[in-house]
């Protein structure tokens, strides 16, 4: 009995659902839930993490991310404009910067700035400046490519209209092109922000005081003093407190801008994770 | 009243190997309406875009209101404020509302005060019949309305001459009349205009002179009645025959 194309598609889909149910059921039945509960859901340890996990760790994660993102966005915009400049050396500098900082792990950039710069220049950055420069420096390389794609997605007629009204090239870029480019790239930029949030954990390499801990360091430090993995679960949930609204925002913005997506192959990952 | 506003002599323009303009001479006097007609690829849009240097001429000379635009040391941004341009695709700034579209260049380029810029903008919106759309965003307007806003935007700079690059070609047929009406009114007010168009009826009724271009040359030039009504040149005749009666099988085929 030959199945029609539609019947075959139905059969295949039913098979896929069935497989999914079997896999989930197998995982649920074979897991040792008592052990999992002991390892991850120790309410005493969880309670002991408060309020510091919020007032110190979550606050610092947000602070470090915000510093890195602000610096990265500004530098990324400059790099994007250099990348599109008619002046060849600007383009070369931007390309070299982007290739280097997107190619090396963010962790190495943290180390270079915190430990390398003082050796070379007798300038010691404090951790806050380091996280801004390192996180922003790496983020800028990614954001530069995103912003460049956004600028190039602004219709040429917009620039011609601006120029025909007597605006200089620079004026047209600032007043007409960049505001439109940012509207287009808001969703991918939100994505970069989420990636930076997670990479802010790399600051652990600087050796921090207790009040400088962010979520990952805080979770690991608590972990080392407790017989349970609960701190990791709490830290993870705190990351979601930041990233879930951002993801929601990103989808909302995407819908609002009519689903016009600018995808750069580079906007999908950011350095290493700790 | 015959002072020259636009004077083009020996204008040439090449895109790589392709020579689009092969030596064009055009003169537009104050208050004149000059329509440029011709088949696609004849170079008429390129000619218009050269007049405000959106395309860099390869040779020849362009003088607008006594300023030689082809002089390498010319302040082109300053010169462009006196040359209004209306595009086929409107090109309203999509992130700004109608009022801001009309005031942004006044504020940033002419350094007018917010209040002065708004007064001028409102006056020009009234001229094109869109006073009620002050706060609308471009995407909320029909094509005809967008084009009229674009005209008002150009007018807000108080230009000496207005360039129209096929202003009705992107419009639905029923919206063409509104835009042509505004252009006709401008012509009646004495605005100097250089119009690239396929609207033969408009050219015939409004233009002081009509230029027929083909293959990078001005083939025929004269009063509208003559060029459109009784063309002398064979190429003009066959073009008009095809435009005025699309089913007509001319000497060059349909």
């Amino acid at each position: 009995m030959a199945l029609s194309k539609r019947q075959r598609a139905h059969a295949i889909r039913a098979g896929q659902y069935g497989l999914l149910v079997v896999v989930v059921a197998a995982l649920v039945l074979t897991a040792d839930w008592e052990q999992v509960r002991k390892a991850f859901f120790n309410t005493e340890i969880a309670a002991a993490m408060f309020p510091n996990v919020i007032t110190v760790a979550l606050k610092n994660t947000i602070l470090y991310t915000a510093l890195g993102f602000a610096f990265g966005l500004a530098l990324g915009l400059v790099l994007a404009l250099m990348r599109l400049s008619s002046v060849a050396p600007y383009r070369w500098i931007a390309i070299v910067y982007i290739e280097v900082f997107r190619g090396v792990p963010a962790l190495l950039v943290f180390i270079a700035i915190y430990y390398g710069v003082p050796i070379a220049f007798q300038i010691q950055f404090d951790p806050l400046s380091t996280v801004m420069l390192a996180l922003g420096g790496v983020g800028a390389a990614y954001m530069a490519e995103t912003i460049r794609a956004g600028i190039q997605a602004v219709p040429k007629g917009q620039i011609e209209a601006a120029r025909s009204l007597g605006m200089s090239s620079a004026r047209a870029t600032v007043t007409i092109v960049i505001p439109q480019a940012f509207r287009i790239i808001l969703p991918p930029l939100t994505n970069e922000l989420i990636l930076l949030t997670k990479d802010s954990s790399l600051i652990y390499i600087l050796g921090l005081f207790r009040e400088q801990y962010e979520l990952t360091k805080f979770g690991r430090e608590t972990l080392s003093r407790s017989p349970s993995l609960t701190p990791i679960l709490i830290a993870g949930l705190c990351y979601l407190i930041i990233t879930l609204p951002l993801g929601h925002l990103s989808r909302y913005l995407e819908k609002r801008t009519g689903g016009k997506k600018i995808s750069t192959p580079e906007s999908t990952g950011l350095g290493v994770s700790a | 009243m015959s002072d020259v506003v636009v004077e083009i002599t020996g204008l040439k323009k090449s895109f790589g190997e392709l020579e689009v303009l092969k030596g064009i001479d055009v003169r537009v006097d104050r208050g004149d309406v000059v329509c440029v007609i011709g088949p696609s690829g004849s170079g008429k849009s390129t000619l218009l875009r050269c007049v405000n240097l959106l395309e860099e001429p390869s040779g020849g000379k362009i003088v607008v209101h006594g300023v030689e635009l082809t002089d390498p040391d010319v302040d082109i941004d300053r010169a462009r404020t006196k040359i209004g341009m209306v595009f086929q695709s409107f090109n309203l700034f999509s992130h700004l509302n109608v009022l801001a579209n009309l005031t942004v260049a006044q504020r940033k380029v002419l350094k007018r005060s917010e209040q002065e810029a708004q007064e001028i903008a409102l006056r020009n919106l009234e001229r094109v019949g869109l006073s009620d759309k002050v706060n609308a965003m471009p995407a909320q307007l029909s094509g005809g309305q967008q084009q009229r806003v674009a005209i008002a935007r150009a007018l807000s700079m108080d230009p000496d001459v207005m360039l129209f690059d096929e202003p009705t070609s992107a419009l639905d047929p029923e919206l063409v009349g509104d835009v042509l009406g505004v252009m006709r009114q401008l012509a009646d007010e004495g605005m100097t205009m250089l119009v690239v168009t396929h609207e033969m009826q408009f050219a015939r009724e409004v233009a002081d002179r009509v230029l027929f271009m083909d293959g990078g040359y001005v083939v025929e030039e004269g009063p509208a009645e003559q060029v459109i009504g009784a063309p002398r040149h064979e190429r003009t005749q066959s073009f008009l025959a095809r435009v005025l009666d699309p089913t007509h099988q001319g000497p060059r085929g349909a």
Side-chain angles (χ1 to χ4, degrees):
Chain A
M1 185 188 72
L3 292 172
S4 77
K5 202 167 182 182
R6 189 179 62 89
Q7 286 169 324
R8 200 158 58 233
H10 275 250
I12 290 172
R13 196 173 307 160
Q16 287 169 344
Y17 283 136
L19 187 65
L20 184 68
V21 170
V22 169
V23 169
V24 170
L27 289 175
V28 168
L29 292 175
T30 54
D32 187 339
W33 289 108
E34 183 51 29
Q35 287 298 323
V36 170
R37 195 190 63 74
K38 270 192 208 149
F40 286 99
F41 296 92
N42 187 321
T43 45
E44 245 171 72
I45 293 173
M49 289 176 76
F50 289 89
N52 280 358
V53 69
I54 302 293
T55 55
V56 176
L58 182 67
K59 186 207 83 184
N60 277 337
T61 291
I62 292 173
L63 174 67
Y64 298 158
T65 307
L67 283 174
F69 186 72
F71 178 64
L73 193 62
L75 183 59
L77 180 59
V78 172
L79 286 167
L81 292 173
M82 286 172 71
R83 182 86 168 69
L84 293 167
S85 167
S86 55
V87 184
Y90 285 170
R91 289 202 301 275
W92 299 334
I93 293 170
I95 289 170
V96 168
Y97 181 96
I98 291 166
E99 290 297 335
V100 169
F101 279 85
R102 169 176 87 165
V104 299
L107 189 62
L108 299 193
V109 179
F110 272 89
I111 294 170
I113 289 174
Y114 197 66
Y115 300 106
V117 170
I119 295 170
F121 303 105
Q122 271 87 51
I123 303 168
Q124 178 63 62
F125 291 115
D126 60 15
L128 222 49
S129 309
T130 305
V131 76
M132 182 174 89
L133 292 174
L135 211 53
V138 174
Y142 288 92
M143 284 190 261
E145 288 295 271
T146 307
I147 295 169
R148 177 178 67 89
I151 288 175
Q152 286 177 325
V154 175
K156 205 160 166 275
Q158 296 284 318
I159 301 164
E160 289 188 343
R163 298 303 305 272
S164 78
L165 289 164
M167 292 190 197
S168 66
S169 177
R171 167 56 68 195
T173 303
V174 170
T175 311
I176 304 301
V177 177
I178 290 178
Q180 292 191 34
F182 271 92
R183 256 152 227 251
I184 298 170
I185 61 170
L186 268 178
L189 270 189
T190 318
N191 209 27
E192 306 285 357
L193 182 54
I194 291 174
L195 293 166
L196 283 185
T197 306
K198 295 183 292 177
D199 268 10
S200 66
S201 61
L202 294 173
I203 195 174
Y204 82 89
I205 198 73
L206 310 186
L208 298 171
F209 294 116
R210 200 166 287 275
E211 63 271 20
Q212 295 170 322
Y213 285 180
E214 43 66 61
L215 284 170
T216 300
K217 179 68 184 166
F218 185 87
R220 283 170 22 149
E221 218 278 329
T222 317
L223 182 66
S224 68
R225 291 184 283 104
S226 63
S228 158
L229 291 167
T230 308
I232 295 300
L233 181 81
I234 299 294
L237 289 175
C238 284
Y239 274 109
L240 291 180
I241 290 176
I242 305 173
T243 55
L244 286 182
L246 285 176
H248 191 77
L249 178 72
S250 171
R251 279 191 299 280
Y252 167 75
L253 291 170
E254 203 161 316
K255 211 181 284 175
R256 212 191 50 170
T257 53
K260 260 187 278 173
K261 254 199 321 199
I262 300 302
S263 59
T264 54
E266 297 80 11
S267 63
T268 45
L270 219 184
V272 297
S273 41
Chain B
M1 260 214 353
S2 70
D3 47 337
V4 186
V5 178
V6 179
E7 185 157 36
I8 301 167
T9 36
L11 176 65
K12 290 185 176 181
K13 172 66 185 177
S14 301
F15 294 103
E17 292 286 291
L18 183 71
E19 191 171 38
V20 178
L21 300 178
K22 300 172 180 170
I24 304 275
D25 301 298
V26 179
R27 184 186 145 137
V28 185
D29 290 341
R30 175 163 303 283
D32 270 3
V33 176
V34 176
C35 282
V36 184
I37 62 172
S40 62
S42 59
K44 51 193 194 310
S45 280
T46 307
L47 165 66
L48 201 73
R49 290 165 59 84
C50 279
V51 177
N52 68 357
L53 252 60
L54 282 180
E55 302 292 351
E56 188 107 24
S58 317
K61 198 170 148 187
I62 297 170
V63 179
V64 177
H65 215 72
V67 180
E68 189 192 333
L69 300 187
T70 34
D71 175 356
D73 292 321
V74 75
D75 183 350
I76 185 61
D77 295 331
R78 198 184 156 87
R80 280 186 181 131
T81 62
K82 288 280 149 202
I83 308 172
M85 177 91 177
V86 176
F87 299 87
Q88 181 177 346
S89 50
F90 330 134
N91 296 348
L92 292 184
F93 302 132
S94 56
H95 64 304
L96 301 177
N97 70 13
V98 167
L99 184 64
N101 260 280
L102 268 64
T103 55
V104 63
Q106 293 189 66
R107 302 265 293 123
K108 304 284 186 189
V109 179
L110 301 180
K111 308 291 178 196
R112 286 177 182 157
S113 72
E114 181 75 46
Q115 197 195 347
E116 190 190 1
Q118 287 193 4
E119 277 168 18
I120 292 170
L122 292 173
R123 201 158 63 229
N124 282 305
L125 273 182
E126 203 177 314
R127 265 169 109 177
V128 302
L130 289 172
S131 302
D132 56 329
K133 299 293 183 188
V134 179
N135 294 314
M137 294 303 283
Q140 298 167 327
L141 302 177
S142 73
Q145 291 171 334
Q146 288 191 49
Q147 192 61 298
R148 281 146 69 198
V149 171
I151 293 172
R153 177 175 69 179
L155 289 174
S156 296
M157 303 296 281
D158 296 324
D160 289 328
V161 56
M162 288 281 285
L163 310 177
F164 292 85
D165 186 7
E166 300 195 24
T168 58
S169 296
L171 296 177
D172 290 335
E174 79 270 22
L175 302 175
V176 168
D178 292 346
V179 172
L180 292 182
V182 168
M183 290 169 66
R184 185 186 297 260
Q185 174 198 327
L186 275 183
D188 291 344
E189 289 169 14
M191 175 60 75
T192 312
M193 293 161 61
L194 187 55
V195 184
V196 171
T197 187
H198 289 296
E199 301 291 338
M200 294 305 147
Q201 192 61 29
F202 174 80
R204 198 166 183 161
E205 290 170 16
V206 179
D208 296 297
R209 269 185 306 133
V210 172
L211 266 60
F212 173 72
M213 283 184 69
D214 194 13
Y217 294 103
V218 174
V219 175
E220 190 163 350
E221 178 180 359
E225 274 313 313
Q226 180 213 311
V227 177
I228 298 175
R232 289 180 197 152
H233 204 283
E234 185 268 324
R235 276 195 281 176
T236 320
Q237 289 167 5
S238 82
F239 169 74
L240 284 168
R242 275 178 290 134
V243 171
L244 297 175
D245 177 13
T247 56
H248 172 86
Q249 295 287 320
R252 285 165 50 175

